[in-house]
Amino acid sequence: MSNSGKSFRKFLLLWSSQFVSAIGNGLTAFGLKSLNTEVTYVLQNNPQ
């Protein structure tokens, strides 16, 4: 394999890992915002 082929393979590995990381960060942020909204709603509408 040529040197440029090895470099491109490394690039694809790094790019794909960063892509998966970004997807995970987005899902985590969405989940935390949803949880925060649900907890806030329950606390505000809970008769005591």
Side-chain angles (χ1 to χ4, degrees), residues 21-46:
S21 177
I23 296 294
N25 285 336
L27 289 172
T28 299
F30 175 77
L32 289 175
K33 288 177 186 176
S34 298
L35 179 63
N36 185 35
T37 301
E38 181 178 349
V39 168
T40 303
Y41 177 80
V42 168
L43 291 176
Q44 289 177 350
N45 296 306
N46 188 12

Side-chain angles (χ1 to χ4, degrees), residues 4-39:
S4 63
K6 290 179 183 178
S7 295
F8 187 67
R9 186 173 178 181
K10 287 180 184 179
F11 167 77
L12 284 179
L13 178 64
L14 290 173
W15 181 86
S16 61
S17 63
Q18 290 296 312
F19 181 74
V20 169
S21 177
I23 296 294
N25 285 336
L27 289 172
T28 299
F30 175 77
L32 289 175
K33 288 177 186 176
S34 298
L35 179 63
N36 185 35
T37 301
E38 181 178 349
V39 168

